[in-house]
Amino acid sequence: AEPGKSVTVDDVRPLLEELVAALPPAEPGPRGERGPEGRLSVAKAWSDRVHYEGEIVTHAGATWQAQCDTGREPPHDDWICLAAAGQNGRDGRSPRVRDTFDAAVTDYRELDIVALGGAAFIARHDNPGPCPGAGWKQIAMQGKTGKPGERGPAGPRGPSGPAVVRMSVDGEGLLSAVNADGTTVECDLYPVLSKLDR
């Protein structure tokens, strides 16, 4: 540098960069001991006193952690909510089969299932009223008759029936046939005979 001139950082920077580049690479030092594991403090019920930053309390159905030293009651901006209780649910119901609908029955409840006219209905709510109606939802109905299936093969011929041993017709047109085994077969011929007289 010139005599009487002040030295600036920019004047010495090239010299410092050369010195740093000439240094041998640094070797890593020994590994330090592992520090203690972090743990949340044990939650205690909130009480009317000063609570310190990080303290955890339970209050008003929730768990809170102090964000600073505070004497305020949670919920407050001095506290952060870690967990809160959920709302109580409703008791569940399952469908219940109640046989054929009966208008005289007055204790039908939501999800009760009844049969009526070849269909099934489920109650939308308690006391659903007449079925079918706005209080019921149809959930099944009888299907249409399917097409007849293919005719199966003929079975073996059965034994011959008993022979007719006597036959007679009375004045009213009733035909009586007596079989060899004593059985009687009757046939009303009046509708046929009345047409022959015309």
Side-chain angles (χ1 to χ4, degrees):
E2 297 179 14
K5 183 179 178 184
S6 298
V7 177
T8 66
V9 173
D10 290 335
D11 293 332
V12 297
R13 179 174 285 120
L15 180 61
L16 292 173
E17 290 175 351
E18 287 179 19
L19 290 172
V20 169
L23 292 173
E27 295 181 9
R31 184 169 184 168
E33 293 182 18
R34 183 171 181 172
E37 293 183 11
R39 291 185 182 179
L40 290 174
S41 60
V42 176
K44 297 180 180 177
W46 180 86
S47 59
D48 191 7
R49 65 171 177 82
V50 173
H51 292 270
Y52 299 100
E53 182 179 357
E55 234 179 296
I56 298 176
V57 298
T58 56
H59 186 63
T63 303
W64 308 87
Q65 185 174 33
Q67 300 192 93
C68 59
D69 296 349
T70 180
R72 305 276 188 168
E73 178 181 1
H76 186 272
D77 289 343
D78 289 353
W79 297 90
I80 184 169
C81 181
L82 300 179
Q87 296 180 344
N88 291 336
R90 278 191 349 172
D91 289 340
R93 283 189 184 174
S94 297
R96 179 174 63 154
V97 177
R98 296 292 302 273
D99 298 323
T100 302
F101 175 77
D102 184 349
V105 175
T106 58
D107 68 338
Y108 287 119
R109 297 175 54 199
E110 182 182 11
L111 300 184
D112 280 356
I113 297 174
V114 297
L116 183 67
F121 298 84
I122 189 165
R124 296 177 185 267
H125 49 74
D126 292 347
N127 303 313
C131 182
W136 296 91
K137 171 71 177 171
Q138 183 176 327
I139 57 174
M141 65 182 298
Q142 186 175 12
K144 297 178 180 178
T145 303
K147 295 180 179 178
E150 293 183 12
R151 184 170 184 171
R157 184 170 184 167
S160 299
V164 176
V165 294
R166 188 173 62 255
M167 187 179 300
S168 62
V169 178
D170 65 13
E172 301 295 325
L174 182 64
L175 170 69
S176 297
V178 179
N179 297 318
D181 62 0
T183 59
T184 302
V185 177
E186 294 181 339
C187 179
D188 187 3
L189 298 178
Y190 180 78
V192 177
L193 296 175
S194 64
K195 292 180 180 179
L196 296 176
D197 291 341
R198 294 178 185 174

